[in-house]
Amino acid sequence: MSSGTSSGSSLGTRSSRSEDDLDLKTQMENRRKRRKESNRESARRSRLRKQHHLDDLTSQVNQLKDQNKQLGTALRVTNQNLVAVQAQNSVLQTQKMELESRLGSLTEILLFMNASTTSAAANTTTMNNSITTINNGCDVLGASTWGQPIDLYYQCF
């Protein structure tokens, strides 16, 4: 009998072990399934983050392209303005040289006129006649050929 009991208890233990093994296997299988599902969810979130980052970069590229176009347009306009200002500056430089030349000529006339007034009293009448002629619109320096009107004030002084 004792061998029967021992066989019976060993059989019960075996049955219990195999149930424990089955439970352990089931638990391991469930853990593995949960881990797989967790990994899938983590991969999905990672793909979403990556897609979001890619969308942000694409948006940034488009924004920078637009900004580059605007800057290119602004640069072209600025270059056109530069050319216009340079042309205007050239004209003004030419006018400046022309006016300096006129001033030099007027200075010579004044020196001549001052010298004439000190030379003799008889020349005073001649100088008064010259001033009257200049004030009456005589073109002493040939201003009519320059294509610009000149005030009589500048012709005399």
Side-chain angles (χ1 to χ4, degrees):
M1 266 202 131
S2 66
S3 83
T5 18
S6 110
S7 291
S9 71
S10 125
L11 192 58
T13 307
R14 281 189 197 159
S15 166
S16 168
R17 277 189 204 159
S18 86
E19 284 177 15
D20 287 343
D21 286 346
L22 282 176
D23 285 343
L24 184 62
K25 284 182 182 179
T26 304
Q27 286 177 355
M28 288 176 64
E29 183 66 26
N30 286 340
R31 283 183 194 158
R32 188 178 64 80
K33 285 180 182 178
R34 277 185 271 149
R35 197 173 340 114
K36 274 186 164 183
E37 185 61 34
S38 175
N39 287 345
R40 280 190 197 111
E41 183 61 26
S42 177
R44 185 185 70 78
R45 287 191 310 264
S46 178
R47 284 190 302 272
L48 286 174
R49 278 192 308 271
K50 184 178 178 182
Q51 183 63 45
H52 181 70
H53 183 65
L54 182 63
D55 291 344
D56 288 346
L57 290 176
T58 303
S59 173
Q60 188 177 7
V61 164
N62 290 333
Q63 181 182 6
L64 290 172
K65 282 181 179 179
D66 289 344
Q67 185 179 6
N68 193 22
K69 284 180 187 177
Q70 290 173 354
L71 289 173
T73 301
L75 179 62
R76 282 188 293 280
V77 168
T78 301
N79 283 335
Q80 289 171 352
N81 289 341
L82 173 66
V83 168
V85 166
Q86 286 174 335
Q88 186 179 15
N89 189 36
S90 177
V91 168
L92 290 173
Q93 288 290 340
T94 303
Q95 288 176 349
K96 176 188 166 226
M97 289 178 5
E98 200 172 288
L99 289 172
E100 285 173 345
S101 174
R102 289 181 192 179
L103 180 61
S105 297
L106 289 173
T107 303
E108 287 179 22
I109 290 172
L110 284 176
L111 289 175
F112 174 75
M113 290 170 63
N114 285 337
S116 295
T117 56
T118 58
S119 67
N123 289 338
T124 305
T125 309
T126 307
M127 189 172 74
N128 286 337
N129 289 338
S130 296
I131 291 173
T132 305
T133 305
I134 290 172
N135 285 334
N136 288 334
C138 179
D139 190 12
V140 176
L141 300 175
S144 61
T145 61
W146 293 334
Q148 292 180 289
I150 297 178
D151 289 336
L152 293 177
Y153 176 79
Y154 288 109
Q155 286 183 349
C156 298
F157 298 101

